[in-house]
């Protein structure tokens, strides 16, 4: 049983996607835009809640 260990290739089987970084930027930009919209909506909601409680 003096065999070498099995060979596991270190490289990817498929070539890397050329537009991977571009897609990642779009996803991150979309998440940031969504977070900003949620924060703006929360601020508007708090504004109208305070206005309703006072008035």
């Amino acid at each position: 049983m003096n065999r070498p260990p099995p060979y596991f290739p270190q490289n990817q089987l498929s070539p890397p996607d050329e537009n991977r970084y571009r897609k990642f930027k779009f996803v991150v930009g979309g998440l940031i835009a969504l977070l900003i919209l949620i924060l703006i909506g929360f601020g508007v909601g708090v504004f109208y809640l305070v206005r309703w409680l006072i008035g």
Side-chain angles (χ1 to χ4, degrees):
M1 289 281 183
N2 215 355
R3 294 183 292 184
Y7 173 70
F8 295 105
Q10 299 298 316
N11 58 350
Q12 292 179 333
L13 297 178
S14 60
D17 188 9
E18 296 292 329
N19 295 324
R20 182 174 56 182
Y21 182 62
R22 187 175 179 193
K23 291 177 189 174
F24 176 73
K25 285 197 303 187
F26 278 129
V27 168
V28 170
L31 289 175
I32 290 173
L34 183 66
L35 181 64
I36 289 172
L37 287 174
I38 289 173
L39 288 175
I40 290 173
F42 183 73
V44 169
V46 167
F47 171 76
Y48 280 110
L49 177 65
V50 169
R51 199 170 128 190
W52 176 71
L53 287 173
I54 292 175

